[in-house]
């Protein structure tokens, strides 16, 4: 398989990074507490999740109709709509808009879709000046780093790292106070907004019925990005659509409470086309780029289609015991945590990310917090099946050994006498490996993977039935 990266290697690196471990636990705990408090205040939360899931299911099943309705309404409002089948096409469309409008300077607000298509790199290679204006993204841009969380992209950076970075880049003292650091960034960015010809944003939700896009944020940078420059381009994954304006309140509430625990975010911008006659604010031109980039492939699979319901709130990352230890960069692409484990292999190809469907304990905590109730364990198991089928199809020795192991395992487990005899033999074979604490901390050859990161309990001489009897009927 043409593996893109190695999840295990990346994870081990992350596990040994003490600063990252501290940052991950502190930030995800903060988000989780805020989300839990916000949810506990809402008496009918479970019902609302179910309604949102039903709406998403219906919309995704009728996606073509709603996308055409959205396009029609945006055109009516004076905007332009473009359809991009992949990253290259999306970048080319945006560069064309820039060329036609004689654009030189571009400001951007946070957008995972633009990360997905490597838009900055593509624009910069054509000579455009591109500046990220979300504080976290700005920090990552000037440090040449990548996001590691959907809503808190610089979660892996400590205050001291940012202070040092600003001092190096801008020749300012190393401030300890986050407000001072924010002030420096704000001063730099204000000038960028004023001199930009084009603003590029993402889209949180798009309302088909009215041709309106909604952008949720707390810093005000997205509002400036979408209103100050003379051209606004919004890039949107085709799944971010909802049918009607009356659904918007529900989705905003679920998204914001699940993401940051706020009742409402500081800014919600609702944009329907460009500035109209008589209006003072807004761009002269508005363009919406609808990005497929593998989404219609997901749509064609009824078992995993629900991956497209995601609102990108980040709640599944904050609860996930795997993400909370290995961080975002271990997932190898822009999306991380449980949503990355299911989306990255589907969007980029299971050959590139065969490890990710296995990067889960299947505990189901992600399913419990997801505002649209994505059934992660079900999707993960389906993707695991795809990985195994692919392995067997390639007939490599790992697939064959795995298959053989399960045939033997099944045979042993269906033969009580054989099971008891093998248990008895294993009890004696294991003796040299049992340490003073009555645990096995080392096993040889291929079994060594079992003990690489933990000690295991020795096999008991008693059968399972005997242990059960002792425990409950003694
Ligand atoms: S999968 Fe659900 S919990 Fe995770 S980011 Fe998407 S909407 Fe949020």
């Amino acid at each position: 398989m043409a593996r893109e990266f190695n999840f295990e290697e990346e994870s081990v690196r992350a596990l040994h990074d003490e600063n990252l471990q501290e940052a991950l636990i502190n930030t995800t705990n903060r988000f989780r507490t805020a989300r839990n408090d916000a949810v506990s205040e809402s008496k009918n939360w479970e019902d609302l999740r179910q309604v949102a899931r039903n709406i998403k299911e219906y919309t995704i099943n009728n996606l073509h109709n709603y996308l055409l309705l959205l396009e029609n309404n945006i055109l009516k409002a004076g905007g332009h709509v473009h359809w991009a089948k992949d990253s290259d096409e999306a970048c080319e469309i945006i560069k064309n808009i820039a060329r036609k409008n004689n654009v030189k300077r571009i400001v951007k607000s946070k957008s995972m879709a633009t990360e997905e298509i490597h838009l900055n790199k593509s624009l910069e290679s054509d000579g455009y000046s591109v500046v990220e204006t979300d504080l976290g993204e700005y920090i990552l841009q000037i440090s040449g780093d990548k996001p590691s969380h959907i809503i808190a992209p610089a979660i892996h950076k400590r205050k001291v790292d940012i202070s040092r970075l600003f001092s190096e880049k801008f020749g300012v003292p190393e401030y300890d106070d986050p407000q001072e650091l924010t002030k420096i960034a704000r001063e730099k960015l204000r000038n960028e907004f004023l001199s930009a010809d084009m603003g590029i944003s993402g889209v949180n939700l798009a309302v088909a019925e009215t041709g309106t896009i909604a952008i949720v944020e707390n810093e005000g940078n997205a509002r400036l990005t979408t209103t100050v420059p003379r051209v606004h381009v919004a890039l949107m994954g085709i799944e971010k659509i909802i049918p009607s304006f009356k659904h918007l309140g529900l989705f905003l509430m679920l998204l914001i409470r699940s993401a940051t625990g706020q009742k409402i975010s500081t800014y919600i911008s609702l944009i329907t086309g460009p500035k109209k006659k008589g209006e003072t604010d807004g761009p002269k031109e508005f363009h919406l780029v609808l990005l497929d980039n593998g989404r219609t492939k997901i749509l064609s699979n009824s078992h995993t289609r629900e991956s497209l319901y995601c609102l990108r709130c980040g709640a599944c990352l904050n609860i996930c015991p795997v993400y909370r230890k290995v961080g975002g960069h271990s997932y190898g692409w822009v999306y991380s945590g449980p949503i990355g484990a299911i989306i990255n292999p589907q969007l980029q190809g299971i050959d590139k990310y065969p490890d990710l469907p296995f990067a889960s304990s299947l505990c189901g905590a992600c399913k419990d917090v997801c505002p649209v109730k994505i059934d992660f364990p079900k999707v993960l198991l389906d993707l695991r099946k795809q990985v195994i089928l692919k392995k067997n199809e390639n007939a490599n020795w790992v697939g064959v050994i795995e298959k053989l192991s399960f045939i033997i395992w099944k045979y042993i487990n269906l033969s009580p006498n054989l099971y008891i005899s093998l248990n008895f033999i294993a009890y004696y074979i294991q003796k040299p490996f049992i340490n003073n604490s009555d645990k096995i901390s080392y096993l040889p050859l291929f079994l060594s993977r079992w003990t690489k990161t933990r000690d295991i309990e020795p096999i008991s001489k008693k059968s399972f039935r005997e242990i059960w009897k002792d425990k409950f009927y003694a």
Side-chain angles (χ1 to χ4, degrees), residues 150 310-316 339 370-372 374 376:
I150 293 179
C310 176
L311 307 179
R312 307 279 189 266
C313 72
C316 57
I339 186 62
C370 177
V372 283
I374 293 178
F376 282 94

Side-chain angles (χ1 to χ4, degrees), residues 133-415:
T133 62
D134 169 88
L135 182 57
E137 290 284 356
Y138 181 62
I139 290 164
L140 297 179
Q141 186 180 33
I142 59 175
S143 57
D145 205 345
K146 288 187 288 191
S148 64
H149 189 283
I150 293 179
I151 63 159
I155 191 177
H156 55 288
K157 297 263 187 218
R158 296 169 305 159
K159 192 173 63 185
V160 59
D161 301 325
I162 299 164
S163 175
R164 213 166 286 150
L165 175 75
F166 277 22
S167 175
E168 256 172 52
K169 296 278 172 189
F170 307 133
V172 294
E174 288 191 18
Y175 291 111
D176 200 29
D177 180 0
Q179 291 210 359
E180 283 297 331
L181 296 169
T182 311
K183 206 167 127 197
I184 295 165
R186 192 179 291 134
E187 273 163 19
K188 300 265 169 214
L189 291 173
R190 194 55 56 137
N191 291 330
E192 298 292 345
F193 286 121
L194 295 174
S195 59
D197 311 296
M198 181 193 262
I200 299 177
S201 74
V203 174
N204 289 106
L205 294 157
V207 183
E209 176 193 47
T210 56
T212 305
I213 62 161
I215 302 174
V216 177
E217 51 144 353
N218 280 314
E219 296 174 17
N221 66 302
R223 183 159 294 175
L224 287 167
T225 300
T226 56
T227 51
V228 178
R230 55 192 160 85
V231 183
H232 172 204
V233 178
L235 178 69
M236 167 188 145
I238 51 174
E239 78 281 20
K240 293 286 193 81
I241 194 162
I242 53 171
S244 157
F245 208 81
K246 69 175 183 232
H247 301 134
L248 190 60
L250 168 69
F251 280 94
L252 286 174
M253 186 187 122
L254 288 170
L255 168 65
I256 296 164
R257 288 188 185 215
S258 302
T260 56
Q262 292 164 286
K263 286 203 173 88
I264 190 139
S265 59
T266 317
Y267 298 88
I268 296 174
S269 302
L270 301 181
I271 299 165
T272 312
K275 178 166 70 176
K276 311 281 179 313
K277 214 171 162 198
E279 287 180 352
T280 47
D281 296 320
K284 282 189 184 141
E285 273 192 29
F286 170 77
H287 297 259
L288 179 69
V289 182
L290 294 166
L291 178 70
D292 181 339
N293 211 25
R295 285 160 174 83
T296 45
K297 208 172 71 208
I298 301 181
L299 194 61
S300 66
N301 184 336
S302 59
H303 299 290
T304 60
R305 185 180 297 157
E306 61 185 289
S307 318
L308 295 173
Y309 303 171
C310 176
L311 307 179
R312 307 279 189 266
C313 72
C316 57
L317 280 66
N318 301 328
I319 196 88
C320 176
V322 178
Y323 175 87
R324 280 159 57 83
K325 291 308 287 178
V326 305
H329 291 159
S330 300
Y331 291 79
W333 201 45
V334 282
Y335 304 108
S336 54
I339 186 62
I342 63 171
I343 278 278
N344 295 358
Q346 293 188 81
L347 287 178
Q348 291 279 288
I350 203 123
D351 290 3
K352 286 188 182 171
Y353 296 98
D355 298 336
L356 292 190
F358 298 88
S360 165
S361 63
L362 294 181
C363 67
C366 39
K367 179 183 174 185
D368 293 342
V369 295
C370 177
V372 283
K373 289 183 147 184
I374 293 178
D375 191 343
F376 282 94
K378 186 186 115 215
V379 177
L380 285 164
L381 287 176
D382 193 274
L383 294 172
R384 285 181 187 189
K385 189 172 151 195
Q386 290 183 35
V387 174
I388 299 300
L389 287 175
K390 197 106 191 187
K391 261 189 199 172
N392 291 344
E393 183 187 287
N394 293 341
N396 64 24
W397 63 272
V398 182
V400 174
I401 288 185
E402 202 163 298
K403 210 168 183 177
L404 201 63
S405 308
F406 277 108
I407 292 170
I408 296 170
W409 183 86
K410 182 182 162 191
Y411 185 68
I412 294 170
N413 278 275
L414 287 175
S415 323

Side-chain angles (χ1 to χ4, degrees), residues 14-242:
L15 287 168
H16 287 104
D17 184 339
E18 284 177 20
N19 295 333
L20 175 67
Q21 292 300 312
E22 196 187 320
L24 281 170
I25 291 300
N26 289 343
T27 318
T28 53
N29 278 352
R30 212 174 52 239
F31 278 134
R32 277 171 63 172
T33 308
R35 180 246 169 222
N36 292 346
D37 290 349
V39 167
S40 64
E41 281 175 21
S42 173
K43 289 197 185 72
N44 52 354
W45 184 255
E46 290 308 314
D47 296 339
L48 297 175
R49 287 173 74 213
Q50 189 58 50
V51 173
R53 181 181 165 89
N54 295 347
I55 296 171
K56 266 292 178 190
E57 185 177 358
Y58 177 76
T59 318
I60 294 296
N61 286 342
N62 295 281
L63 192 56
H64 55 298
N65 291 332
Y66 285 112
L67 286 172
L68 291 173
L69 184 62
L70 176 72
E71 179 184 42
N72 201 19
N73 286 321
I74 288 179
L75 295 178
K76 267 196 223 159
H80 304 265
V81 177
H82 312 262
W83 301 75
K85 72 168 187 299
D86 56 22
S87 305
D88 289 347
E89 212 169 278
C91 288
E92 210 37 57
I93 289 168
I94 296 171
K95 287 194 284 192
N96 260 332
I97 301 168
R99 272 193 290 272
K100 276 190 194 149
N101 285 281
N102 200 20
V103 165
K104 291 194 173 45
R105 304 184 68 80
I106 299 171
V107 282
K108 266 191 73 226
S109 58
K110 198 177 91 54
S111 149
M112 296 308 283
T114 61
E115 294 286 343
E116 188 184 320
I117 64 167
H118 303 294
L119 181 61
N120 288 13
K121 206 168 146 209
S122 177
L123 288 167
E124 280 164 356
S125 67
D126 274 23
Y128 295 101
S129 150
V130 188
V131 178
E132 293 286 350
T133 62
D134 169 88
L135 182 57
E137 290 284 356
Y138 181 62
I139 290 164
L140 297 179
Q141 186 180 33
I142 59 175
S143 57
D145 205 345
K146 288 187 288 191
S148 64
H149 189 283
I150 293 179
I151 63 159
I155 191 177
H156 55 288
K157 297 263 187 218
R158 296 169 305 159
K159 192 173 63 185
V160 59
D161 301 325
I162 299 164
S163 175
R164 213 166 286 150
L165 175 75
F166 277 22
S167 175
E168 256 172 52
K169 296 278 172 189
F170 307 133
V172 294
E174 288 191 18
Y175 291 111
D176 200 29
D177 180 0
Q179 291 210 359
E180 283 297 331
L181 296 169
T182 311
K183 206 167 127 197
I184 295 165
R186 192 179 291 134
E187 273 163 19
K188 300 265 169 214
L189 291 173
R190 194 55 56 137
N191 291 330
E192 298 292 345
F193 286 121
L194 295 174
S195 59
D197 311 296
M198 181 193 262
I200 299 177
S201 74
V203 174
N204 289 106
L205 294 157
V207 183
E209 176 193 47
T210 56
T212 305
I213 62 161
I215 302 174
V216 177
E217 51 144 353
N218 280 314
E219 296 174 17
N221 66 302
R223 183 159 294 175
L224 287 167
T225 300
T226 56
T227 51
V228 178
R230 55 192 160 85
V231 183
H232 172 204
V233 178
L235 178 69
M236 167 188 145
I238 51 174
E239 78 281 20
K240 293 286 193 81
I241 194 162
I242 53 171

